[in-house]
């Protein structure tokens, strides 16, 4: 390929390498959670800078005093609303919340979260499986937030989830990807998209997720609680694109010893 | 009659519908992003107007908020 061809190919990889999720084609591999932003203005600017095409929202009792409309912001940007079941601790609650979300947004798409305890916010695998089975049966497109457990991920895929979304580290911890080996195992076996969900702290974490072979990244706090959310959102967009391109480019193996990049042949004797 | 609406007891006219209850929260329940459950059962969008409430029922009216916790 010509130099121009390679450059064009790299640009294509970085910017137009879409992926299929839930039967739809998406250009952006970055999904943004809307939690934690200091204002709707911050959220709007960050969503724009992120280039995200999907944003997650939670369902709560309506507050007649609430100012501004989250949905109005998301709809104005033409971003797809992915409701979640944040705050649910049982399969029963998650299923009910999913049904509410389906009525509220007229969508079958659902980010399924079933949390085990409020200190770690780690998923409850038993309740998660139960909820996923019920919801898939009921026609939902289920995207489950799950532990970084390859066996559990495989079970969720077999049930019929349209993606698996393993955590990098606990929600909001910003601790990055604590078990990259498990994430690799999940990616290696998965027949559905793998979205790294939770734990991203900064741009290099998002790049690493993509380098490990994830199909996308879902993050919120890393952007919403950054000092400058809009700037971090742009950094995440670039990190996901760079990590994806690096994955496709094929990294060199790690070596213990140095390997000279120029040969000794023809070395001048001085 | 009294019903429990998002955790608070409210007085509604006898025969009030799910929609009437939601309207007391300044919320049009047929608007995008709003959903209603009565006694834990989700009320389909198409039945919000026609579903009557009975004394003592629990009504939850929810909408999208920022979140959740990632």
């Amino acid at each position: 390929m010509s130099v121009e061809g390679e450059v064009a190919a790299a640009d294509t990889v970085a910017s137009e390498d879409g992926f299929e999720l839930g039967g739809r084609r998406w250009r952006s591999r970055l999904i943004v959670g809307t939690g934690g932003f200091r204002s709707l203005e911050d959220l709007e600017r960050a969503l724009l800078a992120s280039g995200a095409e999907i944003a997650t929202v939670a369902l709560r009792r309506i507050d007649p005093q609430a100012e501004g409309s989250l949905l109005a912001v998301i709809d104005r940007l033409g971003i797809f609303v992915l409701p979640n079941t944040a705050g649910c601790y049982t399969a029963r609650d998650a299923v009910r919340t999913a049904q509410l979300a389906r009525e509220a947004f007229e969508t079958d798409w659902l980010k399924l979260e079933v949390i085990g305890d409020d200190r770690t916010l780690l998923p409850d695998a038993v309740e998660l499986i139960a909820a996923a089975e019920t919801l898939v049966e009921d026609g939902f497109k289920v995207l489950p937030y799950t532990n970084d457990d390859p066996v559990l991920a495989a079970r969720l895929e077999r049930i019929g989830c349209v993606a698996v979304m393993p955590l990098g580290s606990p929600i909001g911890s910003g601790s990055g990807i604590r078990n990259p080996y498990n994430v690799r195992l999940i990616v290696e076996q998965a027949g559905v998209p793998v979205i790294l969900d939770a734990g991203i702290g900064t741009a290099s974490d998002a790049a690493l997720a993509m380098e490990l072979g994830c199909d996308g990244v879902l993050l919120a706090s890393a952007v919403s609680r950054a000092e400058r959310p809009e700037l971090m959102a742009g950094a995440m967009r670039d990190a996901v694109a760079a990590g994806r391109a690096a994955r496709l480019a094929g990294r060199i193996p790690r070596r213990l010893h140095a390997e000279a990049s120029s040969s000794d042949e023809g070395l001048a004797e001085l | 009659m009294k019903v429990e609406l998002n955790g608070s007891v409210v007085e509604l006219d006898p025969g009030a519908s799910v929609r009437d209850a939601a309207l007391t929260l300044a919320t049009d329940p047929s608007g995008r992003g709003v959903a209603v459950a009565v006694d834990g059962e989700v009320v389909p969008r198409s039945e919000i107007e026609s579903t009557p409430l009975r004394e003592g029922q629990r009504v939850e009216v929810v909408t999208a908020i920022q979140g959740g916790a990632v």
Side-chain angles (χ1 to χ4, degrees):
Chain A
M1 199 186 288
S2 67
V3 174
E4 290 79 10
E6 282 284 1
V7 170
D11 280 351
T12 304
V13 164
S15 65
E16 287 166 32
D17 159 54
F19 77 126
E20 186 119 351
L21 175 65
R24 284 178 63 168
R25 191 102 196 135
W26 306 91
R27 280 193 317 279
S28 171
R29 292 169 177 270
L30 178 57
I31 301 174
V32 174
T34 53
F37 285 91
R38 287 178 283 266
S39 68
L40 286 178
E41 292 72 32
D42 275 3
L43 168 67
E44 182 160 5
R45 282 193 290 268
L47 282 174
L48 258 180
S50 73
E53 294 170 295
I54 304 174
T56 62
V57 302
L59 276 179
R60 290 291 181 275
R61 282 175 172 170
I62 208 150
D63 174 8
Q65 264 82 55
E67 280 177 30
S69 163
L70 171 65
L71 271 188
V73 169
I74 299 176
D75 288 347
R76 182 159 63 233
L77 298 175
I79 291 175
F80 182 79
V81 175
L82 176 61
N84 65 31
T85 59
C88 292
Y89 283 79
T90 63
R92 179 188 169 278
D93 284 356
V95 168
R96 290 278 161 84
T97 303
Q99 291 164 343
L100 281 169
R102 181 157 62 184
E103 292 303 318
F105 305 109
E106 295 175 89
T107 178
D108 291 333
W109 289 59
L110 182 80
K111 175 184 168 182
L112 177 62
E113 276 183 63
V114 192
I115 300 303
D117 77 83
D118 62 6
R119 200 167 58 87
T120 63
L121 299 179
L122 290 172
D124 183 321
V126 176
E127 296 291 321
L128 182 67
I129 291 284
E133 279 173 342
T134 305
L135 291 169
V136 168
E137 178 86 357
D138 197 14
F140 281 90
K141 287 184 174 153
V142 179
L143 296 89
Y145 163 61
T146 175
N147 296 289
D148 55 357
D149 174 352
V151 177
L152 184 55
R155 288 280 300 261
L156 289 163
E157 181 178 340
R158 271 208 303 280
I159 287 170
C161 294
V162 299
V164 289
M165 306 209 294
L167 55 83
S169 52
I171 287 169
S173 71
S175 294
I177 299 173
R178 304 304 295 272
N179 195 339
Y181 305 97
N182 274 20
V183 172
R184 275 178 63 185
L185 288 172
I186 292 169
V187 165
E188 192 181 270
Q189 71 182 16
V192 293
V194 177
I195 314 249
L196 200 287
D197 182 0
I200 299 291
T202 188
S204 52
D205 298 330
L208 176 60
M210 300 308 294
E211 289 169 11
L212 291 171
C214 292
D215 297 282
V217 170
L218 199 167
L219 55 85
S221 305
V223 167
S224 66
R225 300 191 204 281
E227 283 183 32
R228 299 168 66 184
E230 184 181 4
L231 194 55
M232 187 61 91
M236 292 300 182
R237 178 201 60 211
D238 293 347
V240 166
R244 174 67 184 165
R247 168 74 179 188
L248 292 177
R251 63 153 297 153
I252 60 166
R254 292 177 198 276
R255 294 177 199 277
L256 182 59
H257 297 117
E259 189 176 75
S261 57
S262 48
S263 119
D264 285 346
E265 215 179 290
L267 195 63
E269 285 192 30
L270 304 169
Chain B
M1 68 175 172
K2 288 185 169 61
V3 299
E4 194 179 313
L5 179 61
N6 282 1
S8 305
V9 175
V10 295
E11 183 76 39
L12 296 174
D13 292 336
S17 69
V18 169
R19 181 165 192 273
D20 297 327
L23 287 175
T24 69
L25 296 170
T27 300
D28 177 1
S30 53
R32 174 167 152 74
V34 181
V36 184
V38 176
D39 289 342
E41 294 295 329
V42 177
V43 182
R45 183 162 279 277
S46 56
E47 294 170 20
I48 284 175
E49 183 132 23
S50 60
T51 302
L53 289 171
R54 292 190 312 274
E55 176 80 26
Q57 285 194 305
R58 262 183 321 110
V59 184
E60 296 283 337
V61 185
V62 299
T63 192
I65 61 142
Q66 288 179 238
V70 185

